[in-house]
Amino acid sequence: MTAAPGPRVRVHRALRDTDPQRWDALLGPRGFYAASPWLRHAEATAGGAPYYLTAHEDDGPATGVLPAYPLDHDTPYVFCSPARVVDTIHRTLTGQEAPWAAGLLPALACGGRNPSHTKAGTAPAPDGGRATLTALVHRAEEEAREAGLRAVSFLYVDEDDHLLRGVLTERGYTALPGQTAYSLPVPEDGSFDSYLARFDPSRRTKIRRELRALDEAGVTYQTQPLTPALIEQLAPLELALYAKYGTPANADAFTAVLHSVARHAGEAARVTTAHLDGNLAGFALTFTHRGEMYARQAGFDYEAQGRLPLYFGLVYYELLRTAMAEGLTHIHYSTGSDRAKLLRGCVPRRQIAYVKARHPQEAEPLARLATHPEATVPT
């Protein structure tokens, strides 16, 4: 294996072989899906053993970390598959499918198995951590080559992650326009009035009207740990959400995921529930980690809620109240539902999909796709 200049990189195939506390300390903001609570869940549900890359100076503690997942054609994690993501981008830009994108699998998906905020972690260094990150990415590519994988991907890189973007550009990755992720900054003074002050008068009136309707309907909220008994109550609500939007769903698979989250990431996971007349009418699963909250998934009893703005009351206003009470800095809402998030004060952050194909059959059409007139990425 060719050695890259800089720190020595070790490869682990189980998280327990790393130092999780040190691992988490190296990750910055928006890093939960590359952090140990989520990694334990992702490892327990992985088709193949993940890679945990740690960079070291001599025999010292880790100075850099990067998780990576081998994904095959039958992976259920389609939003982390470069084949699926590249095909979606291709259809968006050209109106045509990209059958050649299937050749990007099997692949090594780096930076976390979640469709938002692809991250690596580095310790402070005079060069900003560039040598450390370069060594990690180089080693990930070497592992992919030795395993016979056809591509390496970093699919949800935040536009302001200039360190990772710079390293991937230097190493010849193709950059494609990705999703937009949204985060809600939490008022530093812990005041809901400060949140409302961000909006123009008409929007403030709209939000107050929604809050009044929820209050008059007697909606109550409760935040609690994710327990096996609660999981059985949540499943019908999320399945109802899938049904509303025509998304295929498997009830057994959904509950299995939640049981794994409770078992492996329970210290970070919580459920905020909404109740009407004492009955469960909605829920939001969140993770709290290193001063930030991550909204993961939700579900609702649409018949019970009727025309009530229960979604906004639970997923935005109540989560914000919790975040303010706990002194958190941000609530991260991932991608999608752009208009709803913008209208509730979320800040957009564009993301870039970086892919490196190992064979010309995929590398050449990838390069052509990146030159499409509308394939613009943030500078």
Side-chain angles (χ1 to χ4, degrees):
M1 180 177 295
T2 304
R8 177 177 298 179
V9 176
R10 302 172 188 168
V11 179
H12 316 272
R13 301 306 299 272
L15 186 64
R16 65 175 177 271
D17 295 331
T18 71
D19 178 351
Q21 184 173 2
R22 175 63 178 174
W23 181 292
D24 291 353
L26 293 175
L27 294 165
R30 310 187 293 276
F32 173 74
Y33 293 109
S36 62
W38 182 257
L39 296 182
R40 289 195 297 270
H41 159 67
E43 181 176 305
T45 55
Y51 293 78
Y52 303 99
L53 282 65
T54 58
H56 302 262
E57 298 286 352
D58 302 320
D59 292 325
T63 58
V65 295
L66 175 67
Y69 298 85
L71 301 180
D72 212 330
H73 290 274
D74 60 352
T75 179
Y77 308 107
V78 293
F79 295 107
C80 299
S81 162
R84 165 67 178 268
V85 170
V86 168
D87 181 69
T88 299
I89 295 170
H90 191 279
R91 284 188 282 111
T92 300
L93 294 175
T94 71
Q96 299 176 341
E97 296 181 353
W100 55 266
L104 294 168
L105 292 173
L108 191 64
C110 299
R113 199 190 70 198
N114 182 267
S116 71
H117 307 306
T118 294
K119 291 292 179 181
T122 59
D127 68 348
R130 183 172 293 270
T132 297
L133 188 52
T134 299
L136 289 168
V137 175
H138 173 89
R139 185 59 180 270
E141 295 167 4
E142 289 290 285
E143 294 296 324
R145 180 185 62 79
E146 292 195 352
L149 306 181
R150 296 184 62 87
V152 181
S153 63
F154 295 74
L155 295 178
Y156 300 92
V157 179
D158 292 336
E159 63 180 317
D160 59 353
D161 192 344
H162 300 294
L163 176 61
L164 180 54
R165 292 183 61 189
V167 168
L168 296 178
T169 299
E170 288 174 357
R171 296 202 59 81
Y173 283 72
T174 298
L176 298 171
Q179 299 286 329
T180 298
Y182 293 87
S183 298
L184 181 63
V186 178
E188 294 183 6
D189 64 359
S191 165
F192 201 87
D193 285 340
S194 294
Y195 166 69
L196 290 175
R198 298 173 181 174
F199 302 97
D200 62 35
S202 62
R203 175 51 50 181
R204 287 198 296 271
T205 298
K206 171 70 172 176
I207 293 174
R208 289 193 177 102
R209 187 182 302 124
E210 291 172 342
L211 292 167
R212 185 165 55 252
L214 293 165
D215 186 57
E216 291 174 352
V219 175
T220 60
Y221 303 97
Q222 181 181 355
T223 297
Q224 58 208 288
L226 181 64
T227 63
L230 182 57
I231 288 171
E232 300 306 316
Q233 300 177 55
L234 303 183
L237 300 182
E238 178 143 8
L239 295 175
L241 183 145
Y242 292 153
K244 178 179 180 180
Y245 294 101
T247 304
N250 182 309
D252 292 338
F254 168 71
T255 55
V257 167
L258 286 187
H259 281 293
S260 174
V261 167
R263 186 178 309 114
H264 300 288
E267 78 276 20
R270 291 185 296 179
V271 178
T272 300
T273 51
H275 303 262
L276 273 168
D277 299 323
N279 298 315
L280 180 64
F283 82 91
L285 172 66
T286 65
F287 299 99
T288 302
H289 183 75
R290 299 182 72 84
E292 298 179 302
M293 181 185 290
Y294 299 77
R296 169 66 182 168
Q297 58 205 78
F300 297 88
D301 182 336
Y302 292 101
E303 183 177 351
Q305 79 171 41
R307 298 178 63 83
L308 277 175
L310 195 63
Y311 171 78
F312 302 123
L314 172 59
V315 175
Y316 294 98
Y317 311 142
E318 182 60 22
L319 293 188
L320 179 60
R321 292 188 189 99
T322 300
M324 290 190 298
E326 298 179 357
L328 306 181
T329 62
H330 291 83
I331 304 174
H332 300 298
Y333 285 101
S334 190
T335 61
S337 302
D338 304 67
R339 177 175 168 79
K341 290 171 180 173
L342 288 171
L343 290 178
R344 268 75 197 175
C346 291
V347 176
R349 181 174 286 105
R350 290 183 62 188
Q351 298 182 317
I352 303 95
Y354 288 92
V355 182
K356 190 173 192 178
R358 295 187 50 244
H359 300 282
Q361 302 96 304
E362 294 78 43
E364 292 172 2
L366 262 179
R368 288 196 297 271
L369 182 60
T371 64
H372 189 280
E374 296 182 17
T376 58
V377 300
T379 57

